[in-house]
């Protein structure tokens, strides 16, 4: 056997040769640490977010074709890259050479905010364009299905994509004969006479053209190697692992014979996450490379044989081609497979994962295995002993030894038979999100009628997600053979299947009753699909479906996106060079898109740098009996382990009223609490050692996880907070009706794309310490580090260039991480880096507070609410953090847009055994506002009025007073409401929705309109201060620094616009370096929607001071330049005067989509022991590109009054989150319609998030009534509602 142990591949056109490769090295750390290509980002480490997307190119000497495909660098072992060309974001363009059209357009279309996800987005679009230079919009949105963004709301990214399509701009879908861009139903009329509005945020005609001839060529050396050089088996090894890459089938069988337990890896999408997240270790890996037999595509007389090594993307293309060419009756199974291949994972994973790997992994929620099982597929196996064929059936899927592969066998190919005449195959799935989300339940179903008229000859039903493996309902199917295909059969089938596919109340994954309902709902849908086809084929013998059933078939939505944006155009009096009010591109937009924007972990390593990782508690409430560090300390590369003992008297810091402990001393109060910190020479060594720290616990009582348990145990922080206005008790005596209700709202994970990151560098002189950290509050980091090191603040400098998303989550916990990291750096006199993995970050840091709201409302029959008594409880977690401040802000804003003449609202922060919850965009208002709006909905239902009418009647009128005695002019609020009513054609659409609902029994639409009043401010004068430093240099250039943090909201861009206006100079003359406590001391935290306004006023003030100083010189030469003067020294939102409409609209959209996620799909799951189940993008779903509204119209109200804010602008970073609840109430509306039609007229109480599970179970019908229910207390559930 001819062997080679040298790895050769190309990166961005440059040859890379590695002689001693460690098989455990993944491409992502190799690119970032070895090659210093930091444009490719770490987002989750499991292929779920797309931040690490690169393009892989391979040449096939047999077909003479080069295949380009996107891939997740975090899952690619570099050993698998022999002979490939890797292209990263740096390789396609940079500001030093030329930028690529993809990079230019995503930047200029304002598709970047924090910019952390942008390189991945760019590479996904770029790879698609390499394969399809003129793609359709469907292809583009499909290509971005595996990329997540937490800032933009995706609309500007879709806009950038559209510029590459043949048809640009229009939604391509004329529903009701009206295009979304036409004036009319969804058109947007001008605001008022003489008011100039602008619909464009970018000039498409100025973009660089896409020229495929200018792309990087595939390295000719790799082509020659593939064609001329004899292929050699490659062997790579380290102390822990061996990697074999056989190049012939014979060698592959030899290795499998020699190492029968070694996994065979193609794309590493199944084994990779197991190794990373579950601690699985394989001492030997076999990775076949370009073995022809594993990529066969054979058309036989009875079906299709596909090689096990084909990627899922290749399988999708092959099947799409086959269904075009063959008659439909032969391709039933292929159609079903295609349906699921369209939504399975993202484009990157589909291009990496192999068909064989997907089948052999036998994941319980596999989307393809249930279809392949019912489709009578067979597997072609091979070993040194010879060939054999086994059926892909239930025994194989449940890994029965006699039906499985033998250890030395490999799967070579899969036979997928053609379907026959009168044979029907369908696929179904339900997930938390439409695309790139594991199924909650999926199913494959097949029926064959033979020649008999609608008599079942064969029936096969398989389910995934409802057991430890894919389950086939064999017995039920057997009993149904010979039955007629009618409703009686359906009813029997449902009962039989529910009995056979039983699910215990404590089943992993929870959602038990929902899963039981899906099992029979899918069966019903299959019955309808088949009945409809039979009816079309033979109208005489098969009765037509009842009209009400028709609506269960077919899709609801058009996939084509369309948006219109309106903002105020600047008047003729404005100076042509004045940038205020113009949609200026984000200052770092191009650098985001080229990967040149530097984030904390992109900073090059410092000499002798160490890495710190935390060891966290595995118990929610326990006493620490012992900590054994001996084994961890003896591991290679480990330098030290920091415990509470080392920190002793500096192990806590007090910012508000309660000191926060850094490392646990003798007790732990939540899973994820920091216990100690391992310091090692590298990240890998630190992580390995952390797993060897042995902690013995003794559980303590009580264990408090929920708000209800906290109330029961009287577990609160400090006394209650209270807001009272008018006389509530008296008002209750005079009202017509009184109602009481409550609503529960779940928490939300920040899911900033850049996890918590910091680098602490001791300067070695005068005890100085530089802290580079991803935070919203540098002053707090400076204070906490100085306190921990017992230094004055002037020795600690905190620097923040930019932050990859924060949303409130990078303040207090970041300070704790920084304090421990700085302590370690100071102790050892060496730089220390700490970067959390996604799972650690989600486990440790907490998020938005879950809320319980109770309300008692007294109202008149016309909908006027005269008395409101409310109780707010938030789940604060185990430490105070900002929880009481959140309660206070919620109370102060709970009135939303309404005047309640008599109001009492009390709030409590509950102390529980969960990680401490903290600030999150909106800061208590998204929860408090939802409670108020739920109350409004219930009042409307009780009065028999529309919610909109009740909202309008209770809204503030003109000049009024809030419950906290502030005067309010509600003129703009009323105008926004009326404007939104008009531009959304609300009454027309309401009538259309009612008509649709009357005609569709199984599909319902909903419509809701929600007002919003968001008072901006932080409750104290000190918190409303800011500072800036502006330098003017002799050459006329300007350097500006201020106290605000750039975290995606465009504050630096706005500050440069302010300097440009005030100093009357072009933007190109102004530079901004980042934020540092060295230049601007004592700055407040960046948050609360005031960062641009406060810092902008400081910048404006500094500029005006400079102008005043220079006045005598300017007056002598008024026409001179700065060089001459210098001497040696559908949402309508009222945002006032927008400083930068592109950034402001981006903030509204991003907040809306984040809010939509909060109120619908983002669900945190905790075990009954307080362990967080949802620790990454696989389990926790934030909105993806498929969740963007197909129509998204935003109008900024024209400015109507001058205020004392910066150029009369208004802060809007947070307010839009609450608007996401319009989706919650629209769903509520649709669910109510379904319930009314089924005779359910009682009050409907729905909690947030309104997940697919809650929606389905609220739409009660014969299927939800048919399922078995578990008695409370009869089993321990998998999760508890928090």
């Amino acid at each position: 056997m001819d062997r080679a142990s040298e790895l050769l591949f190309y990166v961005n056109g440059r040859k890379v040769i590695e002689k001693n490769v460690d098989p455990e090295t993944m491409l992502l750390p190799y690119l970032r640490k070895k090659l210093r290509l930091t444009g490719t980002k770490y987002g989750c480490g499991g292929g779920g977010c797309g931040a690490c997307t690169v393009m892989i190119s391979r040449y096939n000497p047999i077909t003479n074709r080069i295949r380009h495909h996107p891939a997740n660098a975090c899952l690619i072992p570099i050993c698998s890259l022999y002979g490939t060309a890797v292209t990263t974001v740096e390789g396609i363009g940079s500001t030093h050479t030329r930028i690529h059209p993809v990079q230019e357009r995503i930047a200029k279309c304002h598709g970047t905010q924090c910019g952390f996800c942008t390189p991945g987005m760019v590479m996904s679009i770029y790879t698609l364009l390499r394969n399809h230079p003129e793609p359709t919009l469907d292809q583009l949105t499909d290509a971005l299905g595996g990329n997540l963004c937490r800032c933009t709301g995706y609309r500007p990214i879709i806009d950038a994509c559209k510029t590459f399509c043949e048809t640009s701009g229009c939604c391509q879908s004329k529903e009701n004969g009206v295009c979304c861009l036409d004036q009319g139903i969804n058109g947007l009329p001008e605001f008022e006479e003489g008011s100039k509005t602008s619909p464009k945020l970018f000039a498409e005609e100025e973009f660089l053209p896409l020229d495929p001839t200018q792309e990087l060529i595939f390295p000719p050396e790799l082509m020659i190697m593939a064609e001329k050089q004899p292929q050699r088996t490659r062997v790579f090894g380290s102390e822990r692992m061996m990697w074999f890459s056989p190049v012939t089938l014979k060698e592959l069988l030899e290795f499998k014979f020699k190492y029968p337990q070694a996994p065979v890896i193609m794309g590493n999408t199944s084994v990779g996450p197991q190794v990373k997240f579950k601690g699985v270790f394989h001492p030997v890996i076999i990775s076949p490379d370009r073995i022809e037999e594993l990529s066969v595509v054979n058309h036989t007389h009875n079906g299709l044989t596909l090689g096990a090594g084909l990627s899922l993307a290749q399988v999708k293309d092959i099947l799409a081609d086959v269904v075009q060419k063959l008659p439909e009756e032969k391709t039933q199974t292929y159609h079903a497979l295609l349906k699921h291949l369209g939504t399975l994972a993202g484009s990157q994973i589909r291009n990496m994962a192999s068909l064989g790997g997907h089948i052999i992994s036998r994941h319980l929620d596999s989307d393809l295995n249930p279809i392949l099982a019912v489709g009578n597929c067979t597997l072609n196996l091979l070993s040194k002993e010879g060939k054999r064929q086994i059926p892909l059936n239930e025994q194989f899927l449940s890994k029965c030894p006699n039906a499985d592969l033998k250890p030395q066998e490999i799967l070579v190919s899969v036979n997928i038979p053609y379907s026959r005449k009168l044979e029907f195959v369908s696929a179904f799935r339900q997930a938390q999100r439409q695309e790139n989300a594991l199924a909650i339940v999926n199913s494959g179903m097949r029926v064959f009628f033979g020649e008999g008229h609608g008599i079942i000859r064969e029936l096969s039903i398989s389910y995934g997600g409802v057991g430890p493996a894919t389950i086939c309902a064999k017995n039920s199917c057997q009993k149904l053979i010979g039955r007629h295909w009618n409703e009686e059969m359906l009813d029997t089938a449902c009962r039989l299947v529910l009995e056979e596919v039983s699910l215990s109340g404590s089943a992993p994954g929870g959602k038990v009753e929902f899963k039981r309902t899906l099992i029979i709902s899918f069966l019903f849908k299959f019955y309808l699909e088949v009945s409809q086809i039979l009816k079309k084929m033979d109208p005489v013998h098969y009765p037509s479906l009842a009209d009400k059933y028709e609506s269960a078939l077919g899709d609801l939505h058009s996939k084509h996106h369309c948006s219109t944006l309106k903002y105020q155009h600047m008047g003729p009096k404005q100076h042509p060079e004045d940038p205020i009010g113009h949609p200026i591109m984000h200052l770092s937009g191009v650098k985001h898109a080229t990967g040149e924007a530097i984030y904390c972990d992109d900073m090059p390593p410092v000499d002798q740098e160490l890495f710190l990782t935390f060891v966290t508690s595995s118990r929610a409430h326990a006493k620490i009996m012992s900590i054994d560090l001996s084994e961890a300390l003896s591991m290679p590369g480990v330098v030290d382990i920091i415990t509470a003992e080392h920190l002793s008297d500096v192990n806590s810091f007090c910012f508000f009223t309660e000191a926060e402990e850094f490392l646990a001393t003798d007790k732990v109060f939540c899973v994820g609490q920091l216990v100690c910190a391992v310091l090692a020479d590298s990240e890998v060594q630190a992580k390995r050692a952390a797993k060897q720290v042995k902690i013995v616990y003794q559980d303590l009582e009580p264990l408090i996880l929920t708000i209800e348990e906290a109330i029961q145990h009287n577990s609160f922080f400090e006394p209650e907070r209270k807001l009272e206005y008018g006389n509530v008790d008296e008002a209750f005596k005079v009202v017509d009706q009184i109602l009481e209700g409550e609503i529960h709202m779940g928490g939300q994970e920040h899911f900033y794309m850049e996890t918590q990151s910091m680098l602490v560098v001791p300067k070695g002189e005068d005890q100085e310490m530089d802290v580079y950290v991803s935070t919203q509050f540098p002053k707090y980091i400076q204070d906490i580090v100085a306190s921990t090191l017992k230094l004055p603040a002037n020795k600690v400098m905190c620097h923040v260039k930019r932050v990859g998303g924060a949303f409130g989550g990078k303040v207090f916990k970041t300070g704790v991480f920084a304090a421990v990291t700085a302590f370690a750096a100071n102790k050892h006199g060496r730089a220390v880096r700490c970067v959390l993995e996604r799972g650690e970050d989600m486990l440790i840091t907490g998020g938005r507070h879950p809320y319980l709201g109770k309300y008692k409302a007294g109202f008149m029959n016309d909908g006027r609410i005269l008395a409101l008594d409310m109780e707010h409880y938030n789940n604060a977690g185990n430490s105070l953090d900002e929880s009481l401040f959140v309660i206070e802000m919620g109370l102060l804003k709970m009135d939303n847009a309404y005047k309640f003449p008599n109001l009492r609202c009390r709030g409590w922060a509950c102390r529980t055994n969960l990680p401490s919850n903290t600030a999150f965009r909106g800061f208590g208002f998204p929860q408090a506002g939802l409670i108020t709006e739920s109350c409004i909905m219930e009042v409307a239902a009780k009065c028999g009025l529309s919610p909109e009418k009740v909202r309008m009647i209770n809204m503030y009128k003109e000049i009024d007073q809030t419950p906290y005695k502030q005067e309010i002019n509600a003129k703009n609020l009323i105008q926004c409401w009326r404007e939104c009513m008009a531009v959304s054609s609300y009454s027309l659409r309401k009538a259309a929705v009612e008509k649709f609902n009357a005609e569709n029994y199984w599909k319902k639409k909903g419509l809701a309109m929600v007002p919003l009043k968001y008072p901006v401010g932080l409750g104290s004068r000190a918190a409303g201060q800011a500072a800036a430093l502006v330098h003017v240099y002799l050459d006329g250039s300007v350097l500006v620094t201020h106290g605000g943090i750039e975290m995606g909201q465009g504050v630096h861009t706005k500050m440069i616009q302010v300097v440009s206006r005030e100093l009357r100079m072009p933007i190109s003359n102004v530079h901004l370096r980042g934020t540092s406590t060295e230049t601007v001391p004592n700055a407040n935290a960046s948050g609360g929607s005031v960062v641009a306004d406060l810092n902008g006023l400081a910048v404006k003030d500094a500029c005006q001071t400079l102008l005043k100083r220079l006045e005598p010189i300017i007056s002598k030469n008024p026409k001179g330049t700065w060089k001459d003067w210098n001497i040696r020294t559908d949402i309508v939102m009222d945002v006032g005067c927008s400083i930068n409409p592109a950034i402001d609209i981006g903030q509204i959209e991003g907040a809306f989509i984040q809010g939509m996620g909060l109120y619908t799909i983002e669900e945190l799951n905790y075990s009954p022991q307080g362990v967080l189940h949802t620790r990454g993008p696989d389990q926790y779903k934030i909105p993806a590109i498929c969740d963007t509204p197909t129509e998204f119209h935003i109008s900024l109200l024209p400015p109507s009054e001058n205020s004392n804010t910066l150029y009369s602008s208004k802060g809007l970073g947070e307010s839009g989150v609450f608007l996401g609840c319009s989706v919650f109430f629209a769903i509520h509306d649709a669910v109510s319609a379904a319930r009314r039609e089924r005779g359910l007229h009682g009050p409907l109480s729905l909690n947030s998030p309104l997940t697919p599970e809650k929606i389905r179970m609220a739409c009660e019908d014969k299927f939800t009534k048919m399922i078995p229910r578990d008695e409370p207390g009869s089993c321990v559930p998998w999760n508890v509602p928090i």
Side-chain angles (χ1 to χ4, degrees), residues 773-1058:
V773 58
S774 181
T775 182
Q776 296 168 251
F777 200 176
K779 177 196 177 289
Y780 175 67
I781 303 292
Q782 181 185 35
D783 290 347
I784 198 169
V785 168
S787 161
T788 307
L789 302 184
K790 298 183 176 174
L791 292 172
N794 63 5
K795 298 287 178 76
V796 177
M797 291 304 133
C798 180
H799 311 282
V800 185
K801 178 74 176 170
R802 60 174 59 80
V803 171
F807 314 113
K810 291 184 175 174
V811 182
F812 289 103
K813 261 298 190 277
T814 313
V816 174
F817 302 140
V820 178
T821 307
F823 182 87
N826 190 55
K827 184 181 176 192
H828 292 277
R830 291 166 71 176
V832 178
R833 190 180 298 256
C834 173
V835 179
L836 295 194
E837 288 188 339
R838 175 65 59 191
E840 291 177 301
D841 194 304
M842 291 182 75
L843 179 71
I844 297 167
T845 58
R848 191 184 296 281
H849 293 76
Y851 252 66
L852 172 65
K854 298 184 178 186
Y855 49 83
K856 179 182 175 186
F859 53 98
M860 308 309 282
N861 291 331
D862 63 0
R864 278 176 302 134
I865 298 172
L866 300 187
L868 194 55
D869 193 355
M870 284 200 162
E871 293 178 4
H872 288 183
Y873 299 88
N874 76 19
N875 192 328
N878 73 96
S879 68
L880 181 60
D881 203 291
E882 297 189 69
S883 301
L884 277 166
F885 197 18
V886 168
I887 277 282
E888 285 173 14
M889 283 297 172
L891 295 188
L892 289 169
K893 297 177 185 181
M894 57 72 58
D895 60 320
N896 189 15
Y898 310 112
K899 173 69 175 179
F900 300 119
N902 302 284
L903 170 71
R904 177 167 58 227
C905 191
R906 290 169 296 164
W908 294 267
C910 302
R911 188 194 287 265
T912 63
N913 297 116
L914 291 179
S916 186
N917 286 310
T918 186
F920 199 139
R921 193 180 197 170
F923 209 77
F925 176 63
Q927 298 100 315
L930 185 76
I931 297 163
T932 302
E933 291 296 337
S934 295
C935 179
I936 293 266
M937 291 288 285
E938 214 168 318
V939 168
K942 279 272 193 291
C943 295
L945 297 168
S946 75
E948 290 67 42
K949 193 158 190 180
V950 175
R951 287 184 170 115
M952 191 70 205
I953 202 167
N954 286 292
M955 219 175 273
Y956 280 109
K957 312 282 187 291
E958 296 295 321
I959 307 295
D960 220 323
Q961 192 185 52
T962 65
Y964 43 90
K965 310 283 198 309
Q966 186 175 349
E967 191 178 274
I968 174 176
N969 183 347
K971 180 170 157 273
N972 284 359
L973 174 65
I974 305 288
Q975 194 184 339
C976 275
W977 180 261
R978 288 183 180 146
E979 194 76 61
C980 198
M981 272 278 179
V983 299
S984 67
S985 309
Y986 191 84
S987 47
L988 267 176
R989 285 166 67 186
K990 187 76 182 163
V993 163
E994 282 167 8
K995 181 173 183 290
F996 177 91
N997 288 346
E999 293 167 359
N1000 291 272
Y1001 186 79
W1002 288 105
K1003 275 197 180 76
K1004 299 295 172 197
K1005 289 185 178 182
L1007 195 61
M1009 191 164 140
V1010 180
L1012 157 72
K1013 168 182 70 67
Y1014 189 84
V1016 172
L1018 299 166
S1020 78
R1021 191 158 281 190
Q1025 294 179 337
L1029 178 63
V1030 179
H1031 292 307
V1032 181
Y1033 293 95
L1034 290 174
D1035 63 355
S1037 64
V1038 169
L1039 177 67
V1040 56
T1041 48
H1042 60 96
I1045 297 295
E1046 176 56 70
M1047 45 198 173
Q1049 84 284 42
V1051 65
H1052 287 352
T1053 309
K1054 287 182 173 181
M1055 294 309 98
I1056 284 187
Q1057 287 176 270
V1058 172

Side-chain angles (χ1 to χ4, degrees), residues 328-329 332 422-426 447 449 485 525-539 542-543 545 550 553:
E328 199 172 342
E329 67 180 42
Q332 289 281 316
L422 287 173
E423 183 170 38
F424 305 103
V425 183
S426 288
V447 65
F449 293 109
W485 191 257
K525 213 164 175 186
F526 181 54
Y527 168 76
L528 294 182
E529 281 185 9
V530 173
S531 301
Q532 193 180 44
I533 301 167
L534 291 174
K535 169 82 183 91
K536 279 181 189 162
M537 288 169 67
D538 187 353
Y542 301 107
L545 282 179
E550 291 274 343
L553 303 166

Side-chain angles (χ1 to χ4, degrees), residues 1207-1228:
Y1207 309 136
S1208 299
S1209 71
K1210 294 187 182 180
L1212 50 81
E1214 296 177 291
S1215 50
V1217 173
F1218 175 68
L1219 292 176
C1221 80
S1222 59
V1223 179
F1224 178 98
F1225 289 114
I1227 296 169
H1228 191 293

